């Protein structure tokens, strides 16, 4: 039972959705991904709040209230035989004849599944990754975690094509985020991140990193970051629920800082791992 579809827990292979589902036809839906460590969801309420924000953003009524979502997610987690999980939640505007207009009286499609969580290994973290940069050509509502990820997919593929891990996006000369992550910059010991806006998805990891910086006296600033600051950074990080804190050591073929993961990346990763342990023990 690693899946859930419209009120039923079932093996993923048995979960079937109509080809007229608006998620399939239009990409008309939103999603969330909740990391689970030792069977404990990490920042579940924050993920669910972001899901509710995404639903409101596309004018889709929330099919469950917070307690309902919590219960579904916890039940799904309890059915898995692996302890570290990534729980995917998707809500679409349901099944209806193809027409752009919202269908009336159609229930949303709610789909969830759990798979083993694969985070970056210590070796990968020690090596860091390379990234490329690109103009952020997505729509202007990137704070909605929409399933229509075509722009992100095309942007991310630019990195994959040259064996890199991420595409760092710039809009009007300023950093927005990665194709599937948030981006942090370190210069002269100061951690910097772009401010949450509709031009980026505010990551749950992004929030945790800034909280940890505040709690541990790491100088940090949340403000617009220019392309020049990205290119002249001492350290560049990508953060996400699955990558956690990953140092970018090469951008467009040029070394970032010393060309290896910097001291602040290592420190933040250690703080993050300790924080995770606390959550698992809680
Ligand atoms: N931005 C984008 C575009 C993403 O896809 C992700 C990963 N879901 C993030 C940021 C990071 O979010 P989180 O830390 O919640 O995984």
């Amino acid at each position: 039972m690693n899946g859930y579809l419209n009120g039923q827990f079932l093996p993923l292979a048995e979960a079937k959705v109509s080809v007229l589902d608006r998620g399939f036809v239009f990409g008309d839906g939103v999603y969330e991904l909740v990391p689970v460590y030792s069977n404990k969801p990490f920042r579940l309420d924050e993920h669910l709040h972001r899901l509710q924000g995404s639903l409101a953003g596309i004018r889709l009524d929330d099919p469950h209230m917070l307690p309902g979502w919590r219960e579904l997610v916890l039940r799904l987690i309890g059915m898995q035989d692996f302890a570290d999980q990534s729980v995917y939640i998707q809500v679409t505007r349901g099944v209806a004849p193809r027409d752009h207009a919202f269908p009336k009286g159609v229930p949303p499609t709610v789909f969830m599944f759990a798979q083993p969580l694969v985070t970056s290994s210590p070796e990968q973290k020690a090596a860091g990754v390379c990234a490329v940069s690109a103009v952020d050509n997505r729509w202007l509502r990137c704070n909605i975690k929409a399933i229509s990820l075509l722009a992100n997919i095309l942007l991310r593929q630019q990195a994959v094509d040259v064996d890199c891990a991420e595409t760092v996006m710039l809009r009007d000369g300023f950093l927005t985020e990665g194709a599937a992550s948030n981006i942090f910059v370190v210069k002269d010991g100061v951690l910097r991140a772009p401010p949450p806006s509709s031009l980026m998805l505010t990551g749950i990891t992004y929030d945790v990193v800034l909280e940890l910086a505040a709690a541990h006296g790491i100088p940090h600033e949340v403000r617009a970051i220019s392309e020049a600051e990205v290119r002249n950074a001492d350290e560049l990080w990508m953060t996400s629920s699955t990558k956690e804190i990953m140092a970018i050591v090469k951008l467009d073929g040029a070394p970032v800082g010393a060309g290896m993961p910097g001291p602040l990346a290592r420190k933040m990763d250690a703080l993050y791992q300790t924080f995770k342990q606390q959550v698992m023990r809680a």
Side-chain angles (χ1 to χ4, degrees):
M1 301 291 177
N2 52 349
Y4 168 92
L5 182 64
N6 298 331
Q8 210 189 343
F9 289 93
L10 72 186
L12 201 52
E14 286 172 24
K16 301 274 191 296
V17 181
S18 163
V19 289
L20 286 180
D21 192 278
R22 291 176 65 99
F24 183 62
V25 174
F26 291 127
D28 184 3
V30 295
Y31 76 104
E32 259 309 312
L33 192 143
V34 186
V36 175
Y37 304 103
S38 303
N39 295 305
K40 292 224 164 67
F42 185 68
R43 297 236 150 173
L44 178 57
D45 279 8
E46 287 82 351
H47 279 279
L48 294 176
H49 282 136
R50 189 169 68 180
L51 176 65
Q52 292 180 317
S54 295
L55 286 167
I58 68 163
R59 297 167 59 190
L60 185 53
D61 287 341
D62 185 356
H64 303 291
M65 295 289 115
L66 215 50
W69 280 118
R70 276 192 207 116
E71 193 200 323
L72 287 177
V73 171
L74 293 175
R75 281 182 65 191
L76 186 69
I77 291 171
M79 288 174 192
Q80 312 313 316
D81 52 14
F82 40 90
D84 289 354
Q85 308 174 18
S86 113
V87 170
Y88 178 86
I89 309 171
Q90 171 172 316
V91 187
T92 77
R93 212 181 304 275
V95 178
R98 188 183 180 282
D99 179 5
H100 287 58
F102 293 177
K104 290 205 174 70
V106 169
T109 301
V110 178
F111 168 55
M112 306 198 299
F113 73 100
Q115 59 183 4
L117 176 68
V118 183
T119 54
S120 314
S121 68
E123 293 73 31
Q124 284 168 323
K125 282 187 181 158
V129 294
C130 67
V132 298
S133 67
V135 169
D136 189 341
N137 57 11
R138 298 173 301 164
W139 70 335
L140 299 174
R141 303 187 65 195
C142 301
N143 54 329
I144 296 172
K145 205 162 166 59
I147 59 168
S148 32
L149 284 171
L150 191 49
N152 299 62
I153 287 167
L154 290 171
L155 284 157
R156 169 97 205 295
Q157 191 61 29
Q158 294 184 28
V160 175
D161 285 345
V162 293
D163 290 326
C164 282
E166 185 55 302
T167 299
V168 175
M169 299 188 285
L170 299 152
R171 196 191 284 270
D172 300 329
F174 286 89
L175 171 66
T176 54
E177 61 181 336
S181 62
N182 290 112
I183 303 291
F184 286 79
V185 169
V186 177
K187 187 70 181 178
D188 299 327
V190 181
L191 178 63
R192 296 200 173 97
S197 77
S198 56
L199 299 182
M200 66 174 236
L201 182 80
T202 309
I204 305 300
T205 321
Y206 167 102
D207 284 339
V208 174
V209 164
L210 289 175
E211 283 173 33
L212 289 172
H216 295 273
I218 297 170
H220 60 284
E221 284 176 1
V222 175
R223 62 155 173 82
I225 296 168
S226 70
E227 175 169 357
E229 288 179 291
V230 172
R231 298 208 184 274
N232 297 319
D234 295 334
E235 298 184 31
L236 204 55
W237 311 344
M238 59 186 282
T239 69
S240 76
S241 294
T242 50
K243 297 285 178 212
E244 302 185 331
I245 291 101
M246 176 57 88
I248 295 170
V249 295
K250 233 184 208 187
L251 181 66
D252 296 330
V256 176
M260 54 180 157
L264 207 51
R266 288 198 300 273
K267 180 171 178 178
M268 184 55 74
D269 186 49
L271 293 173
Y272 192 78
Q273 299 309 323
T274 307
F275 184 75
K276 261 168 53 180
Q277 296 292 337
Q278 286 167 2
V279 172
M280 286 183 270
R281 279 196 298 268

